[in-house]
Amino acid sequence: MTDVRPPCAVRWLDGSGCVHRKRGASARVPGCLDIIDQARLPDELVRLHLSAPREIHDAIRRLSVRGAPAIGCAAALGLAACAQRFGVSDATDYLVKLRATADYLDSARPTAVNLHWALARCLAKVVPASIPEMDARLLDEALDILDEDIRMCDAIGGHGLGLLRTGMGVLTHCNAGALATGGCGTALAPIYAAHAAGYDIKVFSNETRPLLQGARLTAWELSECGIDVTTICDSMAAQVMREGRIHIVIVGADRVAANGDTANKIGTYPLAISAKYHGVPFYVAMPYSTIDRSLPDGAGIPIEQRPDCEIAHCRGARVYNPAFDVTPRALITGYITERGVLDHV
Amino acid sequence: MTDVRPPCAVRWLDGSGCVHRKRGASARVPGCLDIIDQARLPDELVRLHLSAPREIHDAIRRLSVRGAPAIGCAAALGLAACAQRFGVSDATDYLVKLRATADYLDSARPTAVNLHWALARCLAKVVPASIPEMDARLLDEALDILDEDIRMCDAIGGHGLGLLRTGMGVLTHCNAGALATGGCGTALAPIYAAHAAGYDIKVFSNETRPLLQGARLTAWELSECGIDVTTICDSMAAQVMREGRIHIVIVGADRVAANGDTANKIGTYPLAISAKYHGVPFYVAMPYSTIDRSLPDGAGIPIEQRPDCEIAHCRGARVYNPAFDVTPRALITGYITERGVLDHV
């Protein structure tokens, strides 16, 4: 299967089964949140149609939908789907149920900033009115969140395209692609843009231990679009650079401090060190909102420690399992955002 | 279980069930090769007692015994065990069978240089004589190979000890330990020496994708001896260095070129780059015989490509799976050999 359009991780299915990714869907017949079950990729491609609070909560919790922007979009659309089924006739009852449902969905992943942000934004939009009107407002707001995300990804792709030339080898880490957003991704957006423009691009995807998002998700979504992608172990990136096959590194970001220091999936930092050693440009692609001006530098970014069982093979040995590392600003060539490619943030 | 002595990957069990690791075992009652089945580590510790050519061949082929020095020792002792069961009374018949058995064992792993070397050395030692005398010579030669390996490891450990201080954090990659040799290893030998000397050493062991020799073998053998060992993903080493917890890196070597460029398990090279970036000394521990003077530099070292299935998670994507990388001499602080710690080779 080859298709130039990247897979849609998150979309809206209206009551008559039509797909929507923009404001304007009818809320008269209840619709549902439609996501790719990423926990089952790449073995099988299954789309889930969700409209019950418990189903949506579980899908977020067990990583059927993942990636900060994708989680935000899914939560907003999921809340709209739930509200359409409240079965109440009183506006006050509706608002009480809405708040309770939003709180419940928000608890699915306590540290996911976009989850909280998207739900709060939807809640703020709903003022007492008729039930159909509240349903419609909620859905429009959720579809606005999705559409803004799609446009943000496209803008990152357009700006990042200027850094690519046909024949280039691009290295990426983890999954900052279509599966992580409502659109075509952040780090992968310039690659999709280059592919659409007919460039011959060869992508190397780090498998990304311990959870293998690169091997499972990035390799899947790029190959589904007919993009040439090669999976390597994280420890092989330096060798591939040495062979002269990498011309640019593009990664995503979880948080960027005011000075440009960047927290991203563990393994990003050694990649940046190797890129510097080999003279390969190293870019971070992210929404401008990823910049956290309250943090002067990367030292203040807390590093989440994850469970031993993701790595352990031997009972006697300890395990150290940080989920992120911080790449210092000095190793970063630039930042690809929806506002353009920036030398500094 | 804590024991300061590292586990014996390879040893000789004589006809009365006594363990030997030095010349002098009786060959009158047939004995056997005794190895740890590394394919089952760390889930279970099973020792295999092998005396039939087919068993020994299979044990080498399916990596029950691995690591160049350990394979050499196992093949030599295995050949002695087979010969003790030839059941022939004529010296010529014995020598014909011996040569055929050696050829068969040699075919278990075609690229294992030590396998061929150890078998050839044993064959060269057996001249026509009485059957008991040939049996005895063969066993003595095999035990000499084992004993030399043990002493080589001890010498590397002794020299490497001078680089360590109590309280240090040591990072290693893959398994260049007791399981890879007849003795206490190469890269791990200084760690065992330091532990025996009462030093408090904290070891970080890269899990070593794709085959996880670090997570499965290094973590097992060190923790069995009561040494503090922490398994990390290969991509976490730079983060641990940044945290100031690594004071020295020690790795093994598959081949060292005349200029000091070193081929070792994939993932060694980025470790050396990160060590340089963080100002952490980077040492290669290996028998002096690992230096291949016929190669002027690392460019001439062929890089074995291994099967896709070790990495692949997604059918559409390609896989690149080099088994080794080459670390340039400029990134190496020194070489720990049985002749001492060398600045250059």
Side-chain angles (χ1 to χ4, degrees):
Chain A
M1 288 200 300
T2 44
D3 183 342
V4 281
R5 294 191 320 170
C8 292
V10 181
R11 58 193 192 183
W12 177 256
L13 219 56
D14 73 15
S16 46
C18 290
V19 169
H20 294 266
R21 304 184 80 199
K22 260 187 197 178
R23 168 192 279 262
S26 163
R28 277 188 211 157
V29 184
C32 64
L33 165 65
D34 174 358
I35 61 168
I36 292 175
D37 185 353
Q38 299 189 37
R40 291 158 87 167
L41 287 178
D43 297 324
E44 37 181 6
L45 171 57
V46 176
R47 298 203 74 100
L48 303 176
H49 297 169
L50 310 174
S51 56
R54 178 65 177 270
E55 291 174 338
I56 298 161
H57 181 278
D58 286 1
I60 295 171
R61 194 180 45 79
R62 55 182 167 69
L63 310 184
S64 288
V65 58
R66 43 146 299 280
I71 289 173
C73 295
L77 292 169
L79 184 65
C82 295
Q84 293 173 5
R85 288 165 179 80
F86 281 163
V88 296
S89 51
D90 180 82
T92 310
D93 293 348
Y94 183 99
L95 288 169
V96 168
K97 278 203 154 186
L98 189 66
R99 213 162 298 272
T101 306
D103 283 350
Y104 175 62
L105 296 182
D106 198 9
S107 70
R109 284 189 70 186
T111 56
V113 176
N114 284 50
L115 174 60
H116 183 77
W117 166 85
L119 290 167
R121 183 169 149 180
C122 290
L123 281 186
K125 209 69 182 182
V126 185
V127 291
S130 72
I131 305 288
E133 184 154 345
M134 289 193 288
D135 275 348
R137 281 197 183 180
L138 206 55
L139 181 57
D140 275 347
E141 189 64 16
L143 284 167
D144 278 354
I145 290 175
L146 179 62
D147 186 47
E148 288 165 23
D149 200 47
I150 292 170
R151 283 186 284 123
M152 178 271 291
C153 293
D154 286 344
I156 290 176
H159 293 302
L161 180 61
L163 301 170
L164 302 181
R165 301 285 175 271
T166 194
M168 271 191 174
V170 183
L171 178 67
T172 190
H173 189 67
C174 196
N175 177 264
L179 290 171
T181 62
C184 63
T186 52
L188 300 193
I191 294 167
Y192 285 117
H195 186 62
Y199 293 16
D200 174 27
I201 297 286
K202 192 162 172 55
V203 180
F204 289 86
S205 163
N206 275 349
E207 62 172 3
T208 316
R209 284 284 292 156
L211 296 182
L212 302 169
Q213 294 92 336
R216 292 191 301 106
L217 305 179
T218 296
W220 179 80
E221 66 166 90
L222 293 176
S223 61
E224 281 291 297
C225 291
I227 296 172
D228 183 336
V229 55
T230 300
T231 302
I232 56 173
C233 292
D234 307 331
S235 64
M236 295 169 187
Q239 171 67 20
V240 182
M241 288 183 196
R242 189 178 168 89
E243 292 169 9
R245 295 158 80 188
I246 307 293
H247 305 96
I248 186 171
V249 180
I250 309 178
V251 298
D254 283 85
R255 215 187 305 193
V256 177
N259 76 335
D261 290 354
T262 297
N264 190 43
K265 182 66 60 201
I266 189 75
T268 301
Y269 174 45
L271 214 56
I273 297 172
S274 281
K276 183 72 136 192
Y277 182 77
H278 291 96
V280 173
F282 183 93
Y283 284 90
V284 175
M286 83 282 179
Y288 196 78
S289 63
T290 310
I291 304 166
D292 183 348
R293 302 267 175 215
S294 74
L295 288 170
D297 58 46
I301 302 177
I303 303 292
E304 177 194 351
Q305 297 298 320
R306 294 190 49 88
D308 288 7
C309 60
E310 290 177 359
I311 304 180
H313 276 77
C314 173
R315 274 175 304 176
R318 298 171 205 272
V319 163
Y320 179 56
N321 187 11
F324 304 103
D325 56 25
V326 175
T327 301
R329 196 266 162 277
L331 296 176
I332 298 169
T333 311
Y335 305 83
I336 310 171
T337 77
E338 70 275 30
R339 301 190 185 181
V341 179
L342 315 173
D343 286 342
H344 55 86
V345 296
Chain B
M1 288 197 302
T2 44
D3 183 343
V4 279
R5 293 191 321 169
C8 292
V10 181
R11 57 193 194 185
W12 177 254
L13 220 57
D14 73 12
S16 46
C18 290
V19 169
H20 293 267
R21 303 184 78 199
K22 259 186 195 176
R23 170 190 278 263
S26 164
R28 277 191 212 156
V29 184
C32 64
L33 164 66
D34 174 357
I35 61 168
I36 292 175
D37 186 353
Q38 298 190 37
R40 292 159 85 168
L41 285 178
D43 297 323
E44 38 181 7
L45 172 56
V46 176
R47 298 203 72 102
L48 303 177
H49 297 168
L50 309 174
S51 57
R54 178 64 177 270
E55 292 173 337
I56 298 160
H57 180 278
D58 285 2
I60 295 171
R61 195 179 46 79
R62 56 181 168 69
L63 309 184
S64 289
V65 58
R66 44 144 300 278
I71 289 172
C73 295
L77 292 168
L79 184 66
C82 294
Q84 291 173 6
R85 288 164 179 83
F86 281 163
V88 295
S89 51
D90 179 81
T92 310
D93 293 348
Y94 183 100
L95 288 170
V96 167
K97 277 201 153 189
L98 189 66
R99 212 160 299 269
T101 305
D103 284 349
Y104 175 62
L105 296 181
D106 198 9
S107 70
R109 283 190 70 187
T111 56
V113 175
N114 283 50
L115 174 60
H116 183 77
W117 167 84
L119 291 167
R121 183 170 150 180
C122 290
L123 281 185
K125 210 68 184 185
V126 185
V127 291
S130 72
I131 304 288
E133 184 154 345
M134 289 192 289
D135 275 349
R137 279 196 183 181
L138 205 56
L139 180 57
D140 275 346
E141 189 64 15
L143 284 165
D144 278 355
I145 289 174
L146 179 62
D147 186 47
E148 287 165 21
D149 199 48
I150 292 169
R151 283 187 282 122
M152 179 271 292
C153 293
D154 287 344
I156 289 175
H159 293 302
L161 179 61
L163 301 171
L164 302 180
R165 302 285 176 270
T166 195
M168 270 190 174
V170 183
L171 177 67
T172 190
H173 189 67
C174 196
N175 177 264
L179 290 171
T181 63
C184 63
T186 52
L188 300 192
I191 293 167
Y192 285 117
H195 186 64
Y199 292 18
D200 173 26
I201 297 286
K202 191 161 174 55
V203 180
F204 289 85
S205 164
N206 276 350
E207 61 173 3
T208 317
R209 284 282 294 156
L211 296 181
L212 302 169
Q213 292 94 336
R216 293 191 301 108
L217 306 178
T218 296
W220 178 81
E221 68 165 90
L222 292 176
S223 61
E224 281 291 297
C225 290
I227 295 172
D228 183 336
V229 56
T230 300
T231 301
I232 56 172
C233 293
D234 307 330
S235 62
M236 295 168 186
Q239 171 67 17
V240 183
M241 287 183 195
R242 188 176 168 91
E243 292 169 8
R245 296 157 80 187
I246 307 293
H247 305 96
I248 186 171
V249 180
I250 310 179
V251 298
D254 283 85
R255 215 188 303 195
V256 177
N259 76 334
D261 290 353
T262 296
N264 191 43
K265 183 66 59 199
I266 188 76
T268 302
Y269 174 46
L271 215 56
I273 297 172
S274 280
K276 184 72 135 192
Y277 181 78
H278 291 95
V280 173
F282 184 94
Y283 284 90
V284 175
M286 83 283 178
Y288 196 79
S289 63
T290 309
I291 303 165
D292 183 347
R293 301 268 175 215
S294 73
L295 288 170
D297 59 46
I301 302 178
I303 304 292
E304 177 193 350
Q305 298 298 321
R306 293 190 49 89
D308 289 5
C309 59
E310 290 177 0
I311 303 180
H313 276 77
C314 173
R315 273 175 303 175
R318 300 170 204 272
V319 164
Y320 178 56
N321 187 10
F324 304 102
D325 57 24
V326 175
T327 301
R329 195 265 162 278
L331 296 175
I332 299 168
T333 311
Y335 304 83
I336 311 171
T337 77
E338 71 274 31
R339 300 189 186 181
V341 178
L342 314 174
D343 286 341
H344 55 87
V345 297

